Amino acid sequence: MSEAPEEVRPPVVTPVRIVIALCLVAPFVAMLWVGSFAKTDPAFIGIPFFYWYQMLWVLISTALTMTAYQLWQREQRARAAAKGGAAQ
């Protein structure tokens, strides 16, 4: 009996997916760790730290989400190319 060659599948957890997860989890950790920003000083242009820190995280979260999305798209294209290349 001859055995069929076993299909080699890429791992589900890759370094890129770990970076994606970190990009998406970081804003939650920053906002849930209230002790790190529950203060008024230092003020920025008269705005207490509590408020400008949270608004800064809105921008940071946007950048991290965009980065995660770009990494995900790049990985999906690479997987599709590898799958299509192996079939040919």
Side-chain angles (χ1 to χ4, degrees):
M1 289 190 184
S2 64
E3 293 185 25
E6 192 173 309
E7 181 180 333
V8 178
R9 300 180 74 189
V12 176
V13 179
T14 63
V16 173
R17 288 187 179 187
I18 293 172
V19 171
I20 290 169
L22 290 174
C23 286
L24 296 175
V25 169
F28 289 103
V29 172
M31 291 292 96
L32 291 175
W33 184 23
V34 178
S36 70
F37 62 90
K39 52 189 173 185
T40 56
D41 289 331
F44 177 68
I45 60 170
I47 302 170
F49 179 76
F50 179 80
Y51 295 111
W52 68 258
Y53 178 81
Q54 289 183 359
M55 294 310 296
L56 179 64
W57 269 101
V58 170
L59 300 174
I60 294 170
S61 298
T62 303
L64 289 173
T65 303
M66 288 173 36
T67 302
Y69 178 74
Q70 293 297 323
L71 288 171
W72 179 258
Q73 290 297 317
R74 186 175 74 180
E75 184 183 25
Q76 293 304 309
R77 283 192 301 268
R79 284 179 175 258
K83 185 177 180 182
Q88 293 177 351

